[in-house]
Amino acid sequence: MRKIHKIWTLFSVVCLLVACDGDNDYTYKMPETLNVVSSNLYFKSAGGTGKVMIETDKAIKATSTVKWCTLQVEGGVITATVSENTSRESRDGVVTLTDGILSTELSLHQEGLALEIIADDFDNIFSNEGGTTSLTISSTSPYAFSIPEYAQAWLSVHEENGTVVFTCAANATGSPRAANVVFKVGDMTENLYIAQYEEADILTTWKAQYTDADGKLVETTAKVTKDESENVTLSLYVPSMEQDYDFGCTYGDGVLDIKIGAALGMFSSYYLYSVALATDESVSWNSSITYVGSGISSDAGDFIFAFDDDDSWSGKTINGVGVWAFKSTTLSSANSLGYLELISDLKLYK
């Protein structure tokens, strides 16, 4: 009987323990992360500061995975200072907080530079009377315009409620002028040419230079004229041919357009026409294409009438004109014979 009693006693104790365990089923679970009360780690491209609030009675250590974010800890307040993002690409990082036992990782994000320029009311070529022109700019980073010292006597710029206004004084010098205004925002720098002249300033004799078919720089002369029928002509002396070629043009709003597919005379029994040249060495005699010139400035402030691409040749970048020979007045690949001269990067100057 004693053996049975011991077994019964043991069974009673086990039942008691099981019963007690069922009445106290709460198990303490230790937190896995810090208690973040608030977090502000989303930044515009201009940078700035953001704060993270931690509920803790322990010392906090904070680290960042990126150099453009620095951290300062004061109790449970972590201040993140982010430098300006000068790129148009956004960037990300991670801020890690720990009290030696618990830790938390927080995502850090900064937008890339966002820039919008509205140029509906902008005209970069002034008449000799002077006046104002403007741009509307929206940017997530600070921007600035810099007018070169040589132009500050006649050109100024100021901002009015997000509108950048350029003011040009009257030109009584009798000579065309231009300025290379530098626009800078973030890591982007652009040149903006602002010029002042009229048609009469262009109708004159010029020095000229261009790059020929062999890649050599050619120094020569040119003259822009206008006849009684309002036809504008650019006469360019081509040293390799020892003669002038008269390129038909149109002029308007400060821009001189060299016509493409226009007759240039004869060479022996061949017919010469103007053709457009592209940077990929393509050639076109399509009359809808033009090679355009307008006023710019050298680094020293000298006025230059430079010719460039105007997007008139779809999918191509125009960089010059050619004196091209054809078998007949019908311009086609079958009648094309080739060039007498190629004229790239044409510039007129005094």
Side-chain angles (χ1 to χ4, degrees):
M1 294 295 294
R2 180 175 297 178
K3 185 175 181 180
I4 295 174
H5 175 73
K6 287 183 178 180
I7 294 175
W8 174 254
T9 303
L10 179 60
F11 176 75
S12 300
V13 171
V14 170
C15 290
L16 178 63
L17 289 174
V18 172
C20 290
D21 203 35
D23 292 339
N24 297 277
D25 57 0
Y26 172 76
T27 302
Y28 174 74
K29 186 177 181 180
M30 186 174 182
E32 296 179 356
T33 60
L34 294 169
N35 184 14
V36 179
V37 178
S38 62
S39 176
N40 179 20
L41 295 178
Y42 188 99
F43 296 88
K44 298 290 187 180
S45 66
T49 60
K51 294 186 182 297
V52 178
M53 305 283 291
I54 300 294
E55 186 177 331
T56 183
D57 57 358
K58 295 182 175 64
I60 297 294
K61 180 181 178 182
T63 57
S64 170
T65 59
V66 291
K67 293 181 179 179
W68 43 269
C69 175
T70 58
L71 303 169
Q72 182 179 359
V73 180
E74 293 184 5
V77 179
I78 298 89
T79 301
T81 302
V82 169
S83 60
E84 179 185 359
N85 184 3
T86 59
S87 167
R88 294 201 176 194
E89 299 296 326
S90 62
R91 55 189 184 183
D92 296 278
V94 175
V95 171
T96 301
L97 308 176
T98 180
D99 64 1
I101 300 175
L102 304 177
S103 63
T104 294
E105 290 186 350
L106 301 174
S107 296
L108 171 68
H109 180 81
Q110 186 177 23
E111 295 178 353
L113 169 63
L115 175 67
E116 181 184 21
I117 299 177
I118 301 175
D120 294 345
D121 299 322
F122 182 74
D123 186 353
N124 70 318
I125 301 175
F126 287 91
S127 71
N128 289 330
E129 294 180 356
T132 62
T133 191
S134 62
L135 292 168
T136 300
I137 297 179
S138 175
S139 174
T140 56
S141 287
Y143 60 85
F145 286 91
S146 176
I147 294 177
E149 185 175 354
Y150 62 76
Q152 292 177 6
W154 58 272
L155 183 64
S156 62
V157 60
H158 68 279
E159 186 173 356
E160 298 176 355
N161 300 321
T163 300
V164 177
V165 180
F166 294 91
T167 301
C168 181
N171 185 5
T173 66
S175 300
R177 57 191 182 187
N180 179 12
V181 178
V182 178
F183 171 66
K184 184 172 178 58
V185 57
D187 59 4
M188 182 181 75
T189 300
E190 296 288 343
N191 293 325
L192 174 65
Y193 291 105
I194 294 182
Q196 187 175 30
Y197 57 89
E198 296 179 0
E199 184 182 50
D201 299 314
I202 305 303
L203 300 176
T204 184
T205 300
W206 300 85
K207 295 177 182 178
Q209 68 175 33
Y210 63 86
T211 302
D212 68 8
D214 297 322
K216 296 179 180 178
L217 185 65
V218 177
E219 301 282 351
T220 184
T221 58
K223 186 176 183 179
V224 182
T225 58
K226 184 177 182 180
D227 63 20
E228 294 179 354
S229 299
E230 302 292 309
N231 297 311
V232 180
T233 301
L234 169 62
S235 298
L236 180 69
Y237 182 74
V238 177
S240 63
M241 300 302 297
E242 298 184 345
Q243 73 174 80
D244 290 298
Y245 286 97
D246 295 336
F247 292 89
C249 302
T250 58
Y251 180 88
D253 298 325
V255 177
L256 186 66
D257 298 340
I258 296 179
K259 298 177 182 179
I260 301 301
L264 295 175
M266 299 283 294
F267 177 73
S268 184
S269 61
Y270 305 125
Y271 299 87
L272 303 182
Y273 284 83
S274 59
V275 298
L277 310 175
T279 53
D280 65 356
E281 300 185 354
S282 299
V283 175
S284 176
W285 42 84
N286 189 321
S287 60
S288 66
I289 298 173
T290 53
Y291 185 43
V292 302
S294 60
I296 66 171
S297 171
S298 70
D299 292 339
D302 298 317
F303 183 85
I304 300 171
F305 205 79
F307 289 79
D308 204 349
D309 177 63
D310 66 344
D311 298 324
S312 59
W313 190 352
S314 178
K316 304 289 184 179
T317 300
I318 304 168
N319 69 336
V321 293
V323 179
W324 208 268
F326 292 85
K327 296 177 184 178
S328 73
T329 56
T330 301
L331 307 189
S332 66
S333 297
N335 287 329
S336 172
L337 296 172
Y339 68 85
L340 272 66
E341 181 64 301
L342 302 182
I343 302 162
S344 300
D345 302 320
L346 176 62
K347 295 179 176 65
L348 310 181
Y349 60 98
K350 290 295 184 179

